[in-house]
Amino acid sequence: MSLEAPRHWGVTAPISEAVSSAHELELDVNLLNTLQELGLFENEHETQKRVIVLEKLNKLVKEFVFRVSKLKGMSESAAKKAGGKIFTFGSYHLEAHMADADLDTLCVVPQHVERDYFFTVMYDLLKEDPEVTDLTAVADAYVPVIKMHFSGIPIDFVCAQLELDHIPDDLDLSDNNLLRNLDERCVRGLNGSRVANEVLRLVPNVPVFRTALRTVKFWAKRRAIYSNVMGFLGGVAWALLVARICQLYPNACAASIVNRFFRIMYQWNWPQPVLLKHTEIAPLEFRVWDPELYPADKSHRMPIITPVYPAMCATHNVTDSTRAIMIKEFKRGADVVDRIMVGSGSWTDLFEKSDFFHAYKHYLQVIACSRSPESQLEWSGLVESRIRQLLLKLELVDMLLLAHPYIHGFERVHYCLDERERLNVAKGIFVPERTFPVGEGDADDRRKQQIGHSAGYSNGQLLDTMEKVYTTTFYIGLYVEPKPGKLVNRSAGPRKLNLIWPTQEFIKLVKSWEKFDKSSMDIIVKNLKR
C-alpha cells in the first residue's frame, strides 16, 4: 500500500513539520494568559451584542433591497423575494478580533440595486435608526464604504451588486462565476469575505493561527504600524503574513509561530511577494497581480498577495519609509521574542508602546478643521486618505531620510468666543482650557459648565454664544540626515530642510476635493521641533 504524499500548505514545502517542545508549549500557555490579562478577548455579553447588531443590519439590508425593488416597479412579492444578505470579513470573520475592534460587513444585493442606492436609500435608512451614530459615507474610496457606530460598535459597511435576480440566504461567495460582469469596486467589496474564508481554508491549524494573529495584530497596534491608509499594513495583510508562517510550520504552537514570524519577516527578501497559494487564472476579464506584466505591480515595495481570484496586492500603500519602519520593528520583535524564548523576557515586553512622539527632533503637524461634526468626519477622512501622497513627496526632499506617519489623527473640539479664536484654531493655535478630545456621547453641557467654572463666568449667556470648531491633527516624524563631521567642507552654507513644495502640493491636492467648502473647512501644515 502506497503512503499518501504529505500535504504542502502553500506554495512551498514546510520549513519544519516538527511539533512544539514542552518549553514552547509552556510559553504558549503564558502567551494565552497574557492576552487574556490584557483584555483582548470579548466577554459573552459583547459577543452577543455583535450578533444582535448583525441581525438588525441584515434586516435593514432586506428592507433596503425591498424599497429599491419597489422603486423599480416590482410587485410586493417579487420585491420581498429579491432578498439581500450580510456577510462579515476581517478580524471578526477570522475570530481574531479584539473587544473594541471594528466590525467589517458586506451588503450583497441583486443586480437591479445599483451602488448609488446604497449611498442614498441605505444611508437614509441608517440615518433614521436611533442606534446609529457617527454616520459618514465615503463613496469615492478605493472600496466605497459607509462608516458608522451601530449600538456603539464601530462598523465599516461595504456593498457589492451581483448579477443575480435575487440573493438567497444560503448564498456562497466562493464561486468565481459570481464575479462575472461585475465592476472592479464590487469585486474589491466581495474580496474581503472571500479572502477571509480562503485564509481559514489554507492554514493547517485554525486555533493556532487565531492566537498568533491576535498576538501580532496587538503588537502592531502597540508599535503604531497597523494602518493600511497610512502606508503600513492593515488587518488583511497581517493575517496573510501570519497565515504564511503557519503554513511553513504546520505543527507549531502559537508561541512558536510568533517567534518564527519575527525572525522570517525581518529577513524577508522584499519585494519578493508573500503568497499563500499560486495565483489563479480564470476565464474572466479581471486584472490579476503580476509584476512581469504590469509595471505598477513591480513598484510594490512589500507585496502581500490575496489568495482568491483575482489576486490583488493588499499592501500597495507601503512607501519606502513605512517599509523601513516595519523592518526595524520586525527586528525589535525578533530580539524581544528571543529573550522570551530563553526565559529572560516576558510577553508584555513585546507589547511595549511605541515612542513615536519622542523618537524624532522634527515633526510635521497636519491640522484639518471644520465647523460641524458631520463635515469634519468627511473632511478629516479625506485628508487622512491623502497623507500617503504627502509621504511620497517628503521622501523626495534632500536630507530627509525618513517620513514616519502616526497611525491615526487626534480629534478635538474647540469652544471659541469670537472670530479671532476661530481663525486661530484654523492656524493650529488652541486655547487649552477650551479644547477637549472628541468622544462618543453629548458632553456639550458638561464642557460648558467646566469652561464657565474655570473662567469665573456668573451666567451662561456668554457660553451660549460660543461656536464649536472641530479639528483632527495628524503627525509625521521626520528623520533628517545627521550633520556632517568637522572635517567636511561646509562652504555651501547652513543646512536647510525645504518642505515648502511637498506641503503646498499636499494642501492643493486636498483642497481640490469636490466637497471642499472654504467657508467652513481649512487645513494647515506646521513644522514642529522637539
Side-chain angles (χ1 to χ4, degrees):
M1 182 160 82
S2 62
L3 294 174
E4 187 178 337
R7 176 174 177 180
H8 284 181
W9 296 90
V11 295
T12 65
I15 293 174
S16 170
E17 295 184 87
V19 297
S20 296
S21 66
H23 175 62
E24 288 172 323
L25 292 172
E26 183 182 347
L27 289 172
D28 196 60
V29 172
N30 293 341
L31 173 60
L32 201 57
N33 289 339
T34 300
L35 298 180
Q36 288 171 335
E37 289 166 7
L38 290 167
L40 298 192
F41 295 90
E42 279 186 331
N43 59 41
E44 186 58 36
H45 171 73
E46 291 167 331
T47 299
Q48 191 57 33
K49 185 177 179 181
R50 287 182 186 260
V51 172
I52 292 169
V53 164
L54 284 171
E55 289 173 352
K56 290 178 178 178
L57 204 51
N58 201 48
K59 287 180 182 177
L60 279 173
V61 166
K62 292 185 186 298
E63 175 64 20
F64 159 54
V65 173
F66 175 78
R67 290 192 184 188
V68 174
S69 300
K70 292 289 287 180
L71 282 173
K72 293 293 186 84
M74 294 173 67
S75 68
E76 188 95 0
S77 60
K80 283 184 178 177
K81 187 182 176 184
K85 187 180 178 183
I86 283 289
F87 291 85
T88 59
F89 59 100
S91 60
Y92 178 80
H93 190 93
L94 295 171
E95 294 184 36
H97 61 290
M98 299 176 201
D100 60 348
D102 290 358
L103 185 52
D104 297 313
T105 53
L106 164 68
C107 158
V108 176
V109 297
Q111 59 187 343
H112 62 274
V113 182
E114 291 88 358
R115 183 184 295 101
D116 288 348
Y117 287 113
F118 182 68
F119 291 100
T120 53
V121 177
M122 186 74 230
Y123 183 89
D124 290 342
L125 271 171
L126 294 166
K127 196 172 183 180
E128 293 163 9
D129 195 306
E131 290 189 77
V132 175
T133 59
D134 297 335
L135 182 67
T136 183
V138 192
D140 57 351
Y142 184 70
V143 179
V145 62
I146 290 176
K147 292 176 174 285
M148 61 181 154
H149 282 76
F150 198 124
S151 193
I153 296 173
I155 292 179
D156 282 357
F157 194 27
V158 302
C159 181
Q161 171 194 13
L162 298 185
E163 200 177 51
L164 298 174
D165 293 331
H166 69 283
I167 303 299
D169 286 336
D170 61 353
L171 179 68
D172 181 359
L173 296 180
S174 63
D175 184 0
N176 287 341
N177 288 313
L178 287 174
L179 307 180
R180 196 175 300 277
N181 298 325
L182 300 191
D183 68 23
E184 292 279 354
R185 288 177 295 179
C186 279
V187 173
R188 289 196 289 265
L190 289 167
N191 240 14
S193 188
R194 283 162 52 84
V195 166
N197 284 332
E198 189 69 357
V199 167
L200 293 175
R201 192 183 72 82
L202 290 171
V203 294
N205 187 317
V206 172
V208 164
F209 164 72
R210 285 172 173 154
T211 301
L213 178 57
R214 198 182 292 270
T215 303
V216 168
K217 286 181 65 173
F218 184 61
W219 162 81
K221 288 181 178 181
R222 295 285 288 181
R223 301 305 298 170
I225 55 171
Y226 188 109
S227 173
N228 178 56
V229 70
M230 287 297 185
F232 296 106
L233 306 191
V236 172
W238 289 118
L240 295 176
L241 287 187
V242 174
R244 183 63 186 127
I245 305 305
C246 289
Q247 290 180 334
L248 294 172
Y249 298 91
N251 299 313
C253 65
S256 300
I257 294 296
V258 172
N259 178 28
R260 275 128 185 175
F261 170 87
F262 289 112
R263 287 172 176 266
I264 290 174
M265 287 302 112
Y266 165 57
Q267 299 175 78
W268 193 268
N269 186 27
W270 304 108
Q272 178 184 330
V274 174
L275 297 158
L276 296 190
K277 70 178 192 180
H278 295 293
T279 55
E280 293 180 56
I281 304 298
L284 300 176
E285 298 297 320
F286 289 110
R287 184 182 183 279
V288 174
W289 186 85
D290 187 345
E292 299 299 320
L293 195 58
Y294 303 109
D297 292 351
K298 203 167 188 175
S299 70
H300 293 154
R301 297 162 178 84
M302 289 181 72
I304 301 170
I305 310 306
T306 57
V308 295
Y309 177 82
M312 301 178 187
C313 180
T315 49
H316 58 272
N317 280 347
V318 172
T319 71
D320 289 335
S321 291
T322 54
R323 180 179 64 177
I325 292 158
M326 285 187 280
I327 290 172
K328 181 180 177 183
E329 288 296 339
F330 290 145
K331 176 64 166 66
R332 175 197 170 270
D335 291 343
V336 172
V337 176
D338 277 349
R339 293 196 294 272
I340 295 170
M341 300 306 284
V342 299
S344 62
S346 69
W347 289 111
T348 53
D349 298 338
L350 182 65
F351 305 129
E352 182 182 320
K353 285 189 77 171
S354 163
D355 64 347
F356 173 85
F357 291 101
H358 301 279
Y360 301 98
K361 286 186 178 180
H362 301 273
Y363 293 84
L364 277 187
Q365 189 181 43
V366 180
I367 305 171
C369 74
S370 68
R371 298 194 178 188
S372 79
E374 295 79 17
S375 64
Q376 184 62 15
L377 268 174
E378 285 197 272
W379 175 226
S380 64
L382 181 280
V383 171
E384 181 181 43
S385 71
R386 302 293 188 267
I387 291 283
R388 178 178 169 273
Q389 300 301 319
L390 176 56
L391 300 180
L392 293 172
K393 290 177 173 61
L394 289 169
E395 288 179 348
L396 301 176
V397 173
D398 286 344
M399 298 188 298
L400 187 55
L401 301 183
L402 198 75
H404 182 171
Y406 196 65
I407 55 174
H408 63 74
F410 294 86
E411 298 177 334
R412 299 181 179 91
V413 58
H414 311 265
Y415 290 76
C416 302
L417 296 177
D418 51 37
E419 185 63 20
R420 180 183 61 82
E421 286 193 359
R422 289 190 284 272
L423 292 173
N424 279 342
V425 168
K427 296 174 183 175
I429 303 169
F430 306 155
V431 179
E433 59 269 24
R434 282 188 266 112
T435 296
F436 301 90
V438 172
E440 278 197 82
D442 186 7
D444 199 43
D445 290 339
R446 177 176 54 79
R447 287 168 179 162
K448 285 183 176 181
Q449 289 175 2
Q450 184 177 335
I451 292 167
H453 179 74
S454 63
Y457 297 141
S458 57
N459 61 65
Q461 186 175 1
L462 182 60
L463 298 178
D464 290 336
T465 66
M466 289 189 298
E467 183 178 338
K468 286 180 283 187
V469 177
Y470 297 83
T471 62
T472 306
T473 306
F474 303 96
Y475 292 90
I476 302 172
L478 305 176
Y479 179 57
V480 182
E481 184 180 355
K483 290 182 179 180
K486 292 181 180 180
L487 298 178
V488 176
N489 183 356
R490 300 185 186 180
S491 59
R495 289 157 36 102
K496 188 175 183 181
L497 196 64
N498 189 349
L499 303 178
I500 295 173
W501 173 76
T503 55
Q504 286 183 346
E505 287 296 304
F506 173 71
I507 290 171
K508 190 189 303 181
L509 172 68
V510 295
K511 285 188 174 181
S512 67
W513 181 45
E514 61 182 14
K515 293 184 181 179
F516 177 71
D517 179 1
K518 65 180 180 181
S519 67
S520 63
M521 300 173 178
D522 211 338
I523 184 164
I524 188 171
V525 181
K526 298 176 66 176
N527 295 312
L528 297 178
K529 189 172 182 181
R530 191 169 60 83

